[in-house]
Amino acid sequence: MLAYLIRRLSQAILVMAVMATIVFFGLYAVGNPVDLLINPEASLAEQEATIARLGLDKPVHIQFGYFLSGLVQGDLGTSFVHNRPALELILSRLPATLELAFLGILIAIVFGIPLGMIAGLRPNAPYSKLIMAGSVVGFSTPNFWQGLMLIMLFAVFLGWLPAGGRGDTVDVFGIPLSFLTLDGLGHLILPALNVAIFKMALIIRLTRAGTSEVALQDYVKYARARGLSPTRVVGVHVLKNILIPVVTVLGLETGNVIAFAVVTETVFAWPGIGKLLIDSIGLLDRPVVVAYLMLTVFLFVMINLIVDILYSILDPRVRIKGGR
């Protein structure tokens, strides 16, 4: 396991280095922030002073050197617009996005895996066909439309839940959390459901396919022949063997939700990092966009590393094959 972890960490560091280079030079080639940040009526001296203050007067390779030096020290620059450290600005919005992502994934897991197993164990039953039809709807409808329908139903017509915003928060070790307050949890439910619908549909289909395949395997038939209870057969022999692809996809989808929850955050006015990214792109606030992308790369790398570790625990053959 130690050799497996070292190999995965080395690959993660290499990915981070390559992505740092691509992110920096990719953003350098897109637009000039000076055109948006400096008043056109400013004097030439004022324009030059601003350009120098932002560090944009230096050659690109020098800027890249400063970027790498800061990256090693955890400094991703200062926002051109907000005049705050870019990483600090993003981290201040990150708890809201993490709450949204994890609750959405949790809802998808709690409902998706049992429904998928039911559909896989009884594929011809009417309720199984209804479950699969629901998963098709979850796949097919656009995310923003789902969000608008949730608002119309639960906020406008029924008046049960608020339509947007984050609500009250409680600071825990300096981190504002909304799910710990009744008002904050009420604000969180609808956007989390909006995130969960597509993920739940995906999990249902994966679980259903895996259950249908595993239920026909010899070891499952042997477990039934030994007289094991249906609950033990399904809960131990079937569930464990269908979790490998589900865990892999869940890891990637969790990263996707954290990094790309822009639509949900916009529809529900949720103050996460997605909205900050859109605003920063519009203003060509390079440090914030770079910090966001680097944080996203780091999250994906770490999530993939965790998924690989879980994968190797669920299926030790992965470690054996990887070590050859």
Side-chain angles (χ1 to χ4, degrees):
M1 176 62 82
L2 180 60
Y4 182 80
L5 288 176
I6 292 174
R7 185 169 63 254
R8 285 291 182 264
L9 284 172
S10 301
Q11 293 172 353
I13 292 172
L14 178 61
V15 170
M16 289 290 294
V18 172
M19 288 306 301
T21 304
I22 294 174
V23 164
F24 181 85
F25 285 101
L27 285 175
Y28 186 87
V30 179
N32 185 0
V34 173
D35 298 334
L36 297 175
L37 297 174
I38 299 179
N39 190 331
E41 299 180 359
S43 65
L44 183 60
E46 292 174 335
Q47 293 181 14
E48 291 178 349
T50 302
I51 292 173
R53 178 174 60 82
L54 297 176
L56 299 175
D57 58 332
K58 298 177 176 60
V60 61
H61 65 278
I62 300 295
Q63 294 184 41
F64 183 59
Y66 287 151
F67 167 69
L68 290 180
S69 176
L71 181 62
V72 172
Q73 302 173 47
D75 180 9
L76 294 176
T78 301
S79 169
F80 295 160
V81 176
H82 302 277
N83 198 28
R84 290 175 58 189
L87 188 58
E88 176 188 312
L89 190 62
I90 290 174
L91 292 179
S92 68
R93 303 282 193 97
L94 186 59
T97 298
L98 291 178
E99 280 186 320
L100 175 62
F102 287 130
L103 182 58
I105 292 295
L106 179 62
I107 293 172
I109 292 173
V110 168
F111 291 97
I113 291 179
L115 290 175
M117 293 187 72
I118 290 171
L121 292 170
R122 298 287 186 272
N124 297 319
Y127 52 81
S128 297
K129 294 179 180 179
L130 182 63
I131 291 171
M132 296 312 297
S135 72
V136 171
V137 174
F139 263 120
S140 306
T141 53
N143 190 247
F144 73 89
W145 186 84
Q146 294 172 358
L148 293 175
M149 292 302 101
L150 288 173
I151 290 174
M152 289 292 292
L153 177 61
F154 293 103
V156 177
F157 293 148
L158 298 177
W160 291 351
L161 296 167
R166 194 180 181 193
D168 296 336
T169 61
V170 173
D171 284 354
V172 178
F173 302 110
I175 301 174
L177 299 175
S178 59
F179 73 92
L180 296 178
T181 69
L182 190 60
D183 181 65
L185 185 60
H187 283 79
L188 181 58
I189 290 175
L190 283 185
L193 280 175
N194 191 42
V195 167
I197 290 174
F198 178 83
K199 311 305 177 187
M200 192 190 308
L202 179 61
I203 292 173
I204 286 173
R205 298 184 74 83
L206 280 173
T207 307
R208 190 255 186 193
T211 302
S212 298
E213 180 180 350
V214 170
L216 299 176
Q217 298 299 313
D218 291 339
Y219 56 83
V220 175
K221 295 178 180 178
Y222 177 68
R224 289 196 178 107
R226 288 175 55 199
L228 296 180
S229 66
T231 302
R232 182 169 177 80
V233 172
V234 173
V236 176
H237 296 279
V238 175
L239 180 60
K240 182 178 179 180
N241 287 282
I242 66 171
L243 281 181
I244 293 176
V246 173
V247 167
T248 304
V249 172
L250 274 177
L252 296 175
E253 290 300 319
T254 301
N256 279 331
V257 174
I258 295 172
F260 309 117
V262 178
V263 174
T264 298
E265 291 182 357
T266 302
V267 171
F268 291 93
W270 189 259
I273 58 176
K275 186 65 167 60
L276 176 64
L277 173 66
I278 295 300
D279 295 340
S280 300
I281 290 175
L283 296 171
L284 290 180
D285 195 351
R286 284 181 187 168
V288 175
V289 178
V290 169
Y292 173 89
L293 293 175
M294 290 308 303
L295 181 62
T296 300
V297 171
F298 176 76
L299 286 174
F300 269 101
V301 167
M302 294 308 298
I303 288 172
N304 276 293
L305 180 62
I306 293 171
V307 167
D308 285 341
I309 294 172
L310 291 176
Y311 203 114
S312 67
I313 293 173
L314 290 171
D315 187 356
R317 293 173 299 176
V318 174
R319 297 198 301 268
I320 297 173
K321 291 178 181 177
R324 290 177 181 174

